[in-house]
């Protein structure tokens, strides 16, 4: 079907008045590139589900693409053995998130799949937990995580509470391909499904059980609770307020000041264009508030509350530790306290990704923790937890993290959990405060012990149909003609993860190992039109490590831009 035919079909079939008007405005604008981008492909369903810009079109998030995806999903579930299929549904604060969640519930109910849906927005880890707690066959979370306001998304989880495997994604995509977005999608009204019992609201019991499971992961040293901790918190207009607030109360952190402009859910994210706790801009209002109240810690969760970032005042300025640095701090804290209080398992296991800092190898060695490296994506960490559970070793899992601000210290969920991480970070800050240190000083102690490590992630955006081809060409070019040096450092080894490395699944990732124990890795994002470069450097001093990191980052960016 040609682009013109697709557009004409949508003009004829779209019944939603808002989408119909948006489509008319797009056609009348004469912007051929924007029209092409909305229709040049179907929104791709991968292991992260769907993610895209809101609006009319096959390459956009709207009630028709969500309905089509859900019809494919329930067709897949109904093809599996067994009766009485069910799924859990959660949604965040984004534009149309509740609408899309209810559409998914309507499609499930119309196809004989019972839908359990949270009665209000809740964090991503609460969906992972509910899927397992309610023994569902799948879970759906309507969220685009920390993307800008014009995005929304649709993540699918397996019965184990993990985001779906690559094979399950392929099987669901094949089922979606058989569905016509206008003629093949069955729906019943949400209210009638509620009345008839084919859709149920998830009870407060489930959320209470989730928070109790988070609290069970506490590793606080006895006596630390007596040390007060002042916190400024921002949920970045997302889902974190309820669960993070409740868990901090549970552990006795009661001096919490919330950033007022970012307290309430708002999918427009009016205070920052990119609600990502990795970015200083997103935390600036929180930092401004900190300069007034001078807390021990600024805590920021992203809109779906699976990632968390922090800022700490040190020597008159606010330092924002990276995701790698917070991961190292937490891993060391868990190892330190559990070793001291006798709760460390005999064969502890930590899990991180291939793009996370090499410093964690040193920390794991210190505490006798086995470190397992997996591909990028927390579902792979979840899969290791599942493997340990199958081997009756789930208690051996002590910590998992990825450099993009995702952390988990227990098997209660199979995704990153900012509620769990917020608890641990506050307990860690209280631990060091009781010993006369802040988290920056604690981090510096670790660098002095293990060496100075610096990491940086650089992203280059490749928008539209031409951008997708440019991303493909970039990775193909790096494979066909690998650089002999990067940033003046000789390449001594090329590792192509597409070929499968150390038993890992194939992945579109290239690693260039450089002389001097340096490294640069390239990887297309699975959720955004970007290629990312991950830079690894270390040195005897902070300045040496930083200079090496900056030089490699500039060189990597030049490679991605074709300079």
């Amino acid at each position: 079907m040609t682009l013109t035919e697709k557009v004409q079909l949508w003009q004829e079939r779209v019944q939603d008045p808002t989408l119909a008007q948006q489509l008319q405005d797009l056609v009348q604008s004469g912007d051929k590139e924007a029209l092409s981008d909305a229709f040049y492909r179907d929104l791709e369903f991968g292991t992260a589900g769907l993610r895209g810009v809101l609006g009319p079109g096959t390459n956009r998030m709207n009630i028709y693409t969500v309905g089509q995806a859900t019809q494919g999903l329930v067709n897949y579930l109904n093809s599996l053995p067994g009766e009485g299929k069910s799924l859990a549904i959660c949604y965040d604060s984004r534009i149309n998130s509740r609408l899309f969640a209810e559409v998914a519930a309507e499609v499930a109910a119309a196809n004989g799949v019972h839908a359990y849906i949270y009665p209000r927005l809740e964090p991503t880890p609460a969906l992972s937990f509910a899927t397992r707690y309610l023994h569902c066959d799948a879970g759906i979370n309507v969220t685009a995580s920390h993307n800008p306001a014009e995005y929304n998304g649709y993540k699918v989880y397996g019965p184990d509470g993990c985001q779906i495997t690559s094979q399950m994604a392929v099987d669901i995509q094949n089922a979606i391909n058989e569905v016509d977005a206008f003629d093949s999608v069955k729906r019943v009204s949400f209210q009638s499904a509620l009345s008839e019992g084919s859709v149920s609201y998830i009870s407060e019991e489930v959320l209470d059980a989730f928070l109790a499971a988070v609290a069970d992961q506490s590793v606080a040293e006895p006596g630390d609770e007596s040390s007060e901790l002042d916190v400024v918190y921002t949920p970045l207009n997302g889902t974190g307020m309820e669960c993070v607030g409740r868990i901090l109360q549970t552990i006795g952190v009661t001096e919490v000041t919330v950033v007022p402009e970012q307290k309430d859910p708002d999918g427009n994210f009016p205070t920052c264009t990119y609600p990502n706790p990795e970015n200083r801009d997103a935390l600036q209002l929180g930092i401004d508030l900190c300069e007034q109240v001078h807390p021990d810690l600024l805590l920021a969760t992203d809109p779906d509350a699976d990632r968390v970032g922090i800022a700490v005042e040190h020597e008159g300025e606010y330092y924002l530790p990276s995701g790698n640095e917070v991961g190292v701090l937490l891993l060391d804290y868990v190892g330190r306290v559990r070793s001291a209080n006798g709760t460390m398992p005999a064969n502890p296991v930590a899990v991180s990704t291939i793009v996370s800092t090499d410093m964690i190898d040193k920390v794991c060695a210190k505490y006798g923790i086995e470190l397992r490296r997996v591909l990028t994506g927390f579902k792979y960490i979840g899969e290791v937890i599942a493997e340990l559970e199958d081997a009756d070793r789930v208690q051996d899992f002590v910590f998992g993290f990825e450099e993009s601000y995702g952390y988990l210290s227990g098997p209660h969920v199979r995704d990153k959990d900012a509620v769990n991480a917020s608890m641990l970070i506050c307990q860690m800050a209280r631990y060091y405060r009781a010993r006369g240190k802040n988290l920056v000083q604690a981090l510096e102690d670790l660098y002095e012990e293990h060496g100075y490590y610096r990491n940086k992630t650089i992203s280059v955006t490749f928008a539209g149909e031409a951008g997708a081809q440019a991303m493909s060409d970039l990775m193909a070019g790096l494979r066909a003609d690998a650089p002999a040096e990067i940033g003046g450092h000789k390449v001594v080894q090329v590792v192509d993860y597409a070929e499968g490395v150390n038993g890992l699944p194939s992945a579109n990732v290239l690693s260039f190992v450089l002389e001097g124990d340096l490294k640069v890795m390239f990887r297309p994002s699975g959720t955004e039109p970007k290629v990312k470069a991950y830079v690894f450097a270390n040195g005897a001093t902070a300045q040496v490590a930083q200079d090496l990191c900056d030089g490699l980052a500039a060189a990597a960016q030049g490679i991605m831009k074709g300079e």
Side-chain angles (χ1 to χ4, degrees), residues 275-346:
N276 186 344
E278 299 180 42
N279 297 341
R280 192 179 188 96
D281 287 349
L283 273 61
Q284 191 57 54
L285 280 176
I287 293 171
D288 292 344
L289 183 57
C290 287
E291 290 176 344
Q292 298 175 38
V293 302
H294 299 286
D296 299 290
L297 182 71
L298 168 64
L299 199 66
T301 54
D302 71 343
D304 67 322
D306 61 352
R307 303 169 192 255
V308 59
I310 67 172
V312 180
E313 186 176 12
H314 182 66
E315 297 180 351
E317 296 184 356
Y318 279 88
Y319 180 73
L320 277 62
S322 70
N324 276 315
E325 288 177 325
V326 173
V328 167
L329 277 166
L330 285 172
L331 176 62
D332 178 81
Y333 170 68
V334 169
R336 182 185 301 266
V337 174
R338 295 194 65 175
S339 295
N341 65 23
T343 61
M344 183 73 87

Side-chain angles (χ1 to χ4, degrees), residues 105-119:
E106 290 171 352
V107 174
N111 287 272
V113 175
H114 192 98
Y116 296 95
I117 183 170
Y118 274 107

Side-chain angles (χ1 to χ4, degrees), residues 123-205:
T124 286
L127 183 278
S128 177
F129 183 87
T131 303
R132 291 166 53 80
Y133 189 88
L134 297 171
H135 305 289
C136 292
D137 299 282
I140 297 171
N141 192 19
V142 181
T143 176
S145 189
H146 54 277
N147 281 58
E150 62 267 26
Y151 280 82
N152 211 325
Y154 176 105
K155 294 181 181 178
V156 177
Y157 289 72
D160 58 357
C162 275
Q163 289 186 48
I164 55 174
T165 65
S166 299
Q167 185 57 54
M168 189 173 174
V170 169
D171 293 341
I172 294 172
Q173 180 66 72
N174 289 338
I176 293 171
N177 292 342
E178 300 298 318
V179 175
D180 181 275
F182 296 110
D183 293 326
S184 304
V185 178
K186 301 176 184 177
R187 285 174 63 183
V188 295
S189 80
F190 184 78
Q191 290 303 322
S192 66
L194 270 177
S195 300
E196 294 167 4
S198 53
V199 171
S200 304
Y201 282 125
I202 295 173
S203 71
E204 295 300 312
E205 170 197 327

Side-chain angles (χ1 to χ4, degrees), residues 221-240:
E221 273 283 81
D224 284 350
E225 292 85 351
S226 61
S227 178
E228 293 183 359
L229 190 76
D230 294 334
V231 175
V232 166
Y233 171 59
T234 172
L236 293 178
N237 298 117
T239 64

Side-chain angles (χ1 to χ4, degrees), residues 10 19 23 38-39 41 43 55-62 64-65:
W10 275 64
L19 274 180
L23 180 56
F39 284 94
R41 66 171 186 172
L43 199 61
T58 59
N59 190 36
R60 293 289 184 263
M61 285 292 296
N62 52 65
Y64 298 102
T65 53

Side-chain angles (χ1 to χ4, degrees), residues 16 18-19 22 52-56 60-67 89-104 117 121 140-144 149-154 266-269:
D16 180 85
T18 301
L19 274 180
Q22 290 173 343
V53 174
L54 291 158
R60 293 289 184 263
M61 285 292 296
N62 52 65
I63 60 172
Y64 298 102
T65 53
V66 168
I89 302 174
C90 186
Y91 57 93
D92 68 5
S93 62
R94 288 181 175 273
I95 297 168
N96 288 342
S97 280
R98 185 181 181 102
L99 171 64
F100 294 161
E102 290 186 356
V103 167
I117 183 170
L121 51 80
I140 297 171
N141 192 19
V142 181
T143 176
E150 62 267 26
Y151 280 82
N152 211 325
Y154 176 105
D266 188 340
N268 293 298
F269 305 115

